[in-house]
Each structure stands twice: as C-alpha cells, then as structure tokens.
C-alpha cells in the first residue's frame, strides 16, 4: 500500500479537484482510498451528497471519530469503515473538528523528541489510522488531501506518507510557497530521526508501528492556467516556465540534503488546463470531470469532459509509478 499526500502551503491551487479526479481515474484499475485530512472537508463534499454527509457525521463515521479517543486520552484509535463511492474507490470523510488534533499534536511532537512513548503514539496516530482503514478495504493506494499549511497535522501525515505531490498554480505566490514546503518537510524528517534516536537511548519499546518518516517528493502538477490557442496566456506562461527550477531549489534540493530518495522521471508530473466550466458541474453531481454525461455537460463541453480521462489517467499512472518506485527503494 502506498500513501500519497497532496500538499502545498499555498491555497487556491485546485488541490482537491486534482486529488479527486486523479484518484477516480486510478480507481478504474486499482483500489483507492481517499482520506480527507483538511478541516474544510472539500474532498468529502466533492465525493458525497450533503444529506449523506450529515448522516455520516451523526453516525460518527468521520476522520474525527477515529481520532477522538486519542485526542481525549480515552483510548486508542477507532477504525471505521470508509464510504464506498465507486467499485474501487472509498473515502474517509473529513470533519471540521479535526482541528482539535491540530491543537493536540504539538505536545505529542515535543514528547516524541524527548523519546517519550506517548509522544510517538500521538505523532504516529494518523499513520496508524490510515493503514488501519486502508486494510479494511485492501486499498493499494491512499490519496490524502491536506490543508494549505505547515502545521502539526500535516507534519504527522507527511511523515507517514510514501511521498507527496505538490499542486501548483502558475503565479508568484504559488512558487514562493515552495521553499516553505521544502524546508518544513526537511525539518520534519530530521526531527523524526532525532526523536527515534532519543527513544533508542531510552530503550523505549512500542507495540505499534512507526512511520518511516522519509516522504519522497513525487513531483508537481501545474494547473488552472488560461489557454489561448492551445498555449498558456503570456502572463501565466512566465510563471509556468519558472516552475521546474523553483520546485528543484525549493523542494528537491532541500530533501536530497536530508537523504530522501528522489524519483526518476523529472520534477513535473503534468499539466491540467483550465476546466472551470466543467468543475462546478462535476462538484454538483459528485462526479469526476470525465464521468459527466451528455445531459450534464452539453455539446463541446461533453467532448472536453470525456477527453479528460486521458489526462487524469496519465497523471494517475505517473504518480502511482513514482510511488511504487519509492516503496521498492
């Protein structure tokens, strides 16, 4: 099983749309679990009708329900059955109350750095939760949607990931966020190594699995640029052309310096053109863009929607192949 997080410090880059469409494309050939680890729960809203979400919330079948015993100190993780949304796709619904873990996790990190078992229990909770839920459905790939920050929750998820994908928009702010992502992940990796060394010195023993803490930068996906005559508009092309170097310097170089394996195939995974007219329809119908039918997307829009499968399937293949490479390494 490979755990792939989608992560960027900058919001507004179409991350959730990307996660959902690539994941549904991958689910045509593999078993995929979506984990909504963003307090905004946009992935859950994209995948599940609102009335069903309310029922799941009331039935304690959200990500917060799993973490609540750990947060409250009343017991271990509670594993729930994820919601099946396709033959080969499931989602663990998000929950705004997950922010409680965000407030709780820093104490666990401090205790882990001191080599204290309770700190490792708290810090590894997300990793163990993901593996537990994924094992219930024999998921081959787990896609985690993370919020746009470098907080404690994201740190703990990233440390338990096989690798992470960075969605990018071709603008100044998206690119200037890359050094923050790279430095943060590098710091988390070295901190986790230090924590494990502290535990070794204390002869600490654990009856639960610890994450490896070596997430690989799988690459970036450029999206949401305006297309004119099949070419990015000049104002956006400027930033699009700067992405490879910015990603290399901001993320790859930082992680290479702390011993992380870098996948083959270059830094770019692919590009997604502007699909703004189709995105609201797909969100309203809880479908991937390429799943829209002729009554939902008409005329030329329908042709664009159907053709999108080639794009998202290609992105899914590249991401899964890079994750497989890291897992074997």
């Amino acid at each position: 099983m490979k755990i792939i997080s989608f992560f960027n410090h900058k919001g507004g880059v179409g991350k959730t749309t990307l996660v959902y469409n690539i994941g549904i494309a991958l689910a045509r050939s593999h078993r995929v679990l979506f984990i909504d680890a963003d307090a905004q729960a946009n992935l859950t809203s994209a995948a599940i009708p609102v009335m069903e979400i309310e029922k799941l919330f009331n039935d304690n079948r959200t990500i917060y329900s799993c973490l609540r015993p750990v947060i409250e100190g009343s017991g271990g993780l509670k594993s729930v059955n994820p919601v099946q949304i396709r033959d080969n796709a499931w989602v663990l619904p998000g929950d705004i109350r997950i922010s409680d873990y965000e407030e709780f996790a820093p104490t666990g990190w401090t205790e882990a750095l001191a080599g204290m078992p309770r700190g490792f229990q708290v810090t590894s909770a997300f990793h163990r939760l993901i593996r537990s839920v994924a094992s219930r459905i024999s998921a081959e790939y787990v896609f985690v949607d993370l919020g746009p920050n470098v907080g404690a929750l994201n740190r703990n998820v990233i440390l338990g990931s096989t690798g992470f994908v960075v969605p990018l928009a071709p603008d100044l702010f998206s690119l200037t966020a890359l050094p923050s992502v790279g430095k943060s992940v590098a710091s988390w990796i070295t901190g986790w190594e230090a924590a494990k060394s502290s535990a070794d010195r204390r002869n600490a023993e654990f009856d639960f699995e610890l994450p490896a803490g070596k997430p690989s930068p799988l690459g970036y996906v450029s999206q949401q640029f305006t297309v004119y005559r099949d070419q990015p508009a000049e104002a956006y092309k400027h930033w699009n052309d700067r992405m490879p170097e910015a990603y290399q310097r901001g993320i790859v170089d930082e992680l290479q310096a702390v011993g992380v394996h870098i996948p083959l195939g270059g830094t770019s995974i692919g590009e997604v053109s502007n699909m703004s007219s189709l995105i609201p329809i797909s969100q309203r119908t809880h479908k991937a863009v390429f799943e829209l039918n002729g009554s939902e997307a008409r005329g030329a829009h329908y042709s664009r929607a159907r053709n999108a499968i080639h794009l998202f399937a290609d992105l899914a293949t590249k991401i899964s192949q890079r994750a497989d490479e890291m897992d074997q390494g």
Side-chain angles (χ1 to χ4, degrees):
M1 177 187 55
K2 291 82 180 178
I3 301 173
I4 303 165
S5 292
F6 288 72
F7 175 51
N8 194 342
H9 193 184
K10 164 109 174 25
V13 293
K15 171 178 55 63
T16 300
T17 298
L18 188 71
V19 173
Y20 188 58
N21 280 271
I22 294 177
I24 294 298
L26 186 59
R28 290 160 63 99
S29 56
H30 295 84
R31 297 172 74 84
V32 176
L33 170 65
F34 293 99
I35 301 285
D36 192 347
D38 185 347
Q40 298 300 314
N42 290 326
L43 177 60
T44 302
S45 298
I48 304 172
V50 64
M51 296 304 293
E52 186 176 345
I53 294 174
E54 183 178 11
K55 185 176 186 302
L56 293 166
F57 188 91
N58 292 334
D59 291 345
N60 295 313
R61 288 187 60 193
T62 71
I63 193 168
Y64 175 76
S65 308
C66 302
L67 291 166
R68 183 175 179 178
V70 175
I71 295 171
E72 296 180 345
S74 60
L77 289 166
K78 176 185 176 183
S79 185
V80 303
N81 290 321
V83 180
Q84 188 167 15
I85 56 174
R86 300 291 188 280
D87 287 345
N88 274 344
W90 292 259
V91 60
L92 179 61
D95 192 319
I96 194 169
R97 294 174 295 177
I98 200 176
S99 57
D100 290 352
Y101 179 84
E102 188 79 67
E103 298 176 4
F104 172 73
T107 300
W109 181 251
T110 301
E111 292 176 347
L113 290 174
M116 299 171 62
R118 180 181 177 277
F120 285 91
Q121 185 179 42
V122 171
T123 302
S124 66
F126 249 108
H127 174 69
R128 291 181 288 116
L129 166 61
I130 291 172
R131 293 192 67 86
S132 174
V133 175
S135 68
R136 285 177 170 247
I137 58 168
S138 301
E140 298 168 86
Y141 295 92
V142 179
F143 279 16
V144 188
D145 189 18
L146 294 172
N149 62 72
V150 288
L153 186 157
N154 285 0
R155 175 188 62 216
N156 294 355
V157 175
I158 290 290
L159 284 173
S161 299
T162 306
F164 63 97
V165 174
V166 179
L168 287 176
D171 59 45
L172 171 64
F173 303 107
S174 190
L175 269 62
T176 53
L178 290 175
S180 175
V181 173
K183 290 181 185 299
S184 294
V185 176
S187 174
W188 298 342
I189 291 169
T190 56
W192 187 240
E193 289 298 317
K196 290 190 291 185
S197 294
S198 294
D200 288 341
R201 289 194 297 271
R202 293 169 63 102
N203 296 316
E205 295 183 0
F206 307 103
D207 59 359
F208 50 85
E209 180 184 7
L210 295 179
K214 287 284 189 179
S216 174
L218 301 180
Y220 69 87
V221 178
S222 170
Q223 57 181 340
Q224 291 189 342
F225 54 83
T226 302
V227 174
Y228 177 68
R229 292 183 181 176
D230 297 325
Q231 295 295 323
E234 194 62 32
Y236 294 95
K237 187 175 185 300
H238 170 74
W239 301 112
N240 205 52
D241 290 345
R242 292 179 60 176
M243 282 184 186
E245 181 182 359
Y247 180 86
Q248 178 71 37
R249 294 177 59 185
I251 294 182
V252 174
D253 292 349
E254 291 286 342
L255 297 189
Q256 274 186 321
V258 295
V260 172
H261 185 59
I262 309 301
L264 302 173
T267 56
S268 174
I269 298 172
E271 298 180 350
V272 179
S273 61
N274 191 321
M275 295 185 181
S276 58
S277 59
L278 295 170
I279 299 304
I281 303 173
S282 67
Q283 292 173 338
R284 186 170 60 250
T285 57
H286 308 289
K287 293 181 177 181
V289 169
F290 51 83
E291 294 178 313
L292 297 175
N293 60 40
S295 64
E296 295 161 339
R298 300 178 181 276
H301 292 305
Y302 177 65
S303 297
R304 288 181 61 208
R306 299 298 293 176
N307 288 334
I309 183 56
H310 303 297
L311 168 64
F312 289 112
D314 180 63
L315 294 173
T317 297
K318 289 178 179 177
I319 290 171
S320 61
Q321 286 177 342
R322 294 184 185 196
D324 291 347
E325 177 191 337
M326 297 307 99
D327 208 40
Q328 292 166 5

